[in-house]
Amino acid sequence: MSALIELSGVRKTYRSGTVEFEALRGVDTVIAEGEYAAVIGPSGSGKSTLMNILGCLDVPTEGRYVLAGEDTSSLDEAALAAIRNRRIGFVFQQFHLLASMPAWRNVELPLVYAGVSRAERRERAVEALTRVGLADRVDNRPGQLSGGQQQRVAVARALVTEPDLLLADEPTGNLDSGSTRDVLALFDELHDAGRTIVLITHEPDVAARAGRNLVIDDGLITTDRVRAGAR
């Protein structure tokens, strides 16, 4: 498998006046196409900073981040926004659904920004909702859905542009145990279908579902292990 993500010597330093804080201190890793990897670490470990760089929401202070062969490290905001819309699907702890819109309208939003026609947007949104098991909920508003169903809508929205990377930040943090199992089972299905997934979490049980665990602490990847029997 070819590399989808390549991080080389990635550092991120934040400055406030004369005070500096180094959130990432030289991260090197490669994640292949089709891999399911979890980045796990406690609060303050650097995992949120790493997620922001992986998602092209921020750029390294030093080092290189290459996504699907494209070096993102020195791109301006407009170019980063284009990559986010084209190559990355985001799933967050907060569902970020618009309460006044039915599920399919929430899912189509990335396609609106991409300039896709209305007819095609609806078709692709319904297809994405069907893929996550919500074919019978396309016209329901978020308030008519359970927490697990709302997160499935968010996953459908992340998939509707057919991105190279599905990036999930604490996707089960607001869910009960039953909904957590359902969402993680959905990620298993997406991985089995060939989707590249990077999941950010502080929960070992959630990370254990991924085929590979990258443990981050104090701004460095301290452990990189492949789970026994990983698919």
Side-chain angles (χ1 to χ4, degrees):
M1 292 184 291
S2 58
L4 178 66
I5 289 170
E6 299 176 79
L7 297 169
S8 304
V10 168
R11 295 177 176 269
K12 184 63 183 181
T13 302
Y14 295 102
R15 295 178 175 86
S16 178
T18 59
V19 178
E20 291 189 353
F21 170 68
E22 196 169 31
L24 296 177
R25 300 191 297 119
V27 173
D28 299 284
T29 196
V30 174
I31 295 174
E33 291 180 358
E35 198 165 7
Y36 183 2
V39 177
I40 184 168
S43 177
S45 62
K47 66 182 187 298
S48 294
T49 301
L50 180 58
M51 187 218 67
N52 287 339
I53 289 173
L54 292 176
C56 292
L57 298 165
D58 203 351
V59 294
T61 306
E62 297 179 25
R64 298 173 70 240
Y65 170 35
V66 178
L67 175 63
E70 187 169 3
D71 190 347
T72 70
S73 308
S74 58
L75 297 180
D76 62 22
E77 181 51 42
L80 290 172
I83 289 175
R84 289 196 298 269
N85 186 260
R86 187 174 76 252
R87 295 195 180 279
I88 305 170
F90 293 92
V91 182
F92 296 103
Q93 179 174 343
Q94 306 292 337
F95 312 132
H96 297 303
L97 302 179
L98 299 178
S100 62
M101 289 186 175
W104 77 267
R105 292 291 304 278
N106 273 282
V107 171
E108 74 163 356
L109 286 173
L111 301 178
V112 174
Y113 303 137
V116 176
S117 70
R118 181 178 176 87
E120 184 179 347
R121 293 200 308 263
R122 179 176 170 86
E123 180 182 351
R124 289 172 62 176
V126 171
E127 180 184 340
L129 285 164
T130 300
R131 197 184 315 177
V132 301
L134 292 177
D136 58 343
R137 294 287 189 269
V138 297
D139 291 316
N140 286 89
R141 289 178 168 79
Q144 299 170 308
L145 301 172
S146 69
Q149 289 171 329
Q150 289 183 61
Q151 192 60 297
R152 282 177 174 262
V153 173
V155 172
R157 181 182 58 201
L159 294 174
V160 75
T161 59
E162 295 296 335
D164 298 304
L165 171 65
L166 182 63
L167 184 59
D169 182 24
E170 302 283 3
T172 61
N174 279 340
L175 301 179
D176 60 34
S177 58
S179 296
T180 292
R181 286 192 297 272
D182 288 345
V183 168
L184 292 178
L186 174 59
F187 284 173
D188 289 343
E189 293 170 13
L190 293 170
H191 172 233
D192 288 344
R195 185 71 56 181
T196 306
I197 303 172
V198 175
L199 184 152
I200 313 295
T201 185
H202 67 277
E203 300 179 69
D205 290 348
V206 173
R209 297 294 288 263
R212 178 180 172 194
N213 283 185
L214 303 171
V215 180
I216 188 167
D217 191 25
D218 196 23
L220 290 169
I221 293 177
T222 58
T223 305
D224 184 348
R225 60 175 176 263
V226 176
R227 181 170 56 85
R231 291 170 292 187

